[in-house]
Each structure stands twice: as structure tokens, then as C-alpha cells.
Amino acid sequence: MPAKSAAGPVPTGGKYKAGGSAKRVQSRSSKAGLQFPVGRVHRYLKRQTQSTTRVGAKAAVYTAAVLEYLVAEVLELAGNAARDLKSKRISPRHLQLAIRGDDELDLLVKATIAGGGVIPHIHKQLLEKGKKSN
């Protein structure tokens, strides 16, 4: 029979494992292998839905993964645009060029980017030379 300590019996289940070493707490983001905060996304999802609607744990992981993918895609394209313009920093102009240069991102992002400027475009009829109208 194990001896009881003066403080009482030692718990063997739950948070207190029998080994005595405490297990390191791991965030849901690191469990999912993401950089975006799954817990914060889950909190925002719960805040935005109706009070009677439940939000599953996997919904937050999936949403955080989608957001992380979209941010990585935009940053990659903006980084390419900055490198093409021989700049080491990504500016709003580079974000504008990246988003408007990609067809799918252009459909997704309908917002005006402050400081982004305009996309260079010259109408094809203005480029035609040699045609004279009588």
C-alpha cells in the first residue's frame, strides 16, 4: 500500500500525471501547424454569430488556415512586385499591383487600397499608329 503524504493523497489523473513532470501547454495554432491564432479566430467567430449558434473547434482551425493561406499568397505576390521595382519594403503600391495583377485575388478583394495608386493601362486603340481617318 502506498504511503500517504502529510498533504494528502497524490492525484493520479487529470492535469496531474503520475510521472510528476507537468506537460507543456501547447496552443491550438501549434497543434494545427499554423501561424495564425486559432483561439482568437474562434473567439471572433463566436462573437459574430448568433448567440444560439454553436461554433465548432474545427471551424476556427479551418478559418485560420484559410486566412493564413490568403495572407501568404498576397505577401508572396507583393514581395515579387517589390523586388521587381528594386525595393526591399512592401508598400501599399506593391500590394495594389499584386492584388490587381492576380485574377482571383482581384475578384476577392473589392476594397480600395489607400496609397495604392492606379494600375498602368493604355487602351489598345490609343496605341494604334498609322491609321488615319478621312
Side-chain angles (χ1 to χ4, degrees):
M1 179 166 183
K4 293 184 180 180
S5 64
V10 177
T12 57
K15 293 182 187 177
Y16 307 100
K17 298 292 180 191
S21 63
K23 186 177 180 182
R24 191 165 172 260
V25 177
Q26 193 176 18
S27 68
R28 289 195 278 172
S29 298
S30 62
K31 284 181 184 177
L34 298 174
Q35 298 297 317
F36 265 52
V38 174
R40 187 177 301 173
V41 169
H42 193 200
R43 186 175 72 231
Y44 290 159
L45 283 173
K46 290 193 298 186
R47 188 184 300 168
Q48 293 300 320
T49 57
Q50 297 174 355
S51 60
T52 58
T53 306
R54 296 179 67 185
V55 177
K58 291 180 183 177
V61 174
Y62 191 86
T63 306
V66 169
L67 288 173
E68 184 174 319
Y69 170 75
L70 287 174
V71 168
E73 188 74 22
V74 169
L75 283 178
E76 181 184 356
L77 293 172
N80 293 342
R83 190 179 62 232
D84 292 343
L85 296 174
K86 297 182 175 75
S87 176
K88 292 190 178 188
R89 293 182 183 172
I90 295 176
S91 69
R93 174 70 177 162
H94 302 137
L95 290 171
Q96 172 86 324
L97 291 172
I99 291 172
R100 302 300 171 227
D102 189 68
D103 295 334
E104 294 172 346
L105 285 175
D106 192 23
L107 287 175
L108 184 65
V109 180
K110 296 293 185 186
T112 301
I113 298 174
V118 296
I119 300 301
H121 176 72
I122 301 173
H123 200 277
K124 62 182 179 179
Q125 290 181 345
L126 296 174
L127 293 175
E128 292 178 1
K129 296 181 184 176
K131 288 192 176 181
K132 297 180 182 177
S133 61
N134 293 341

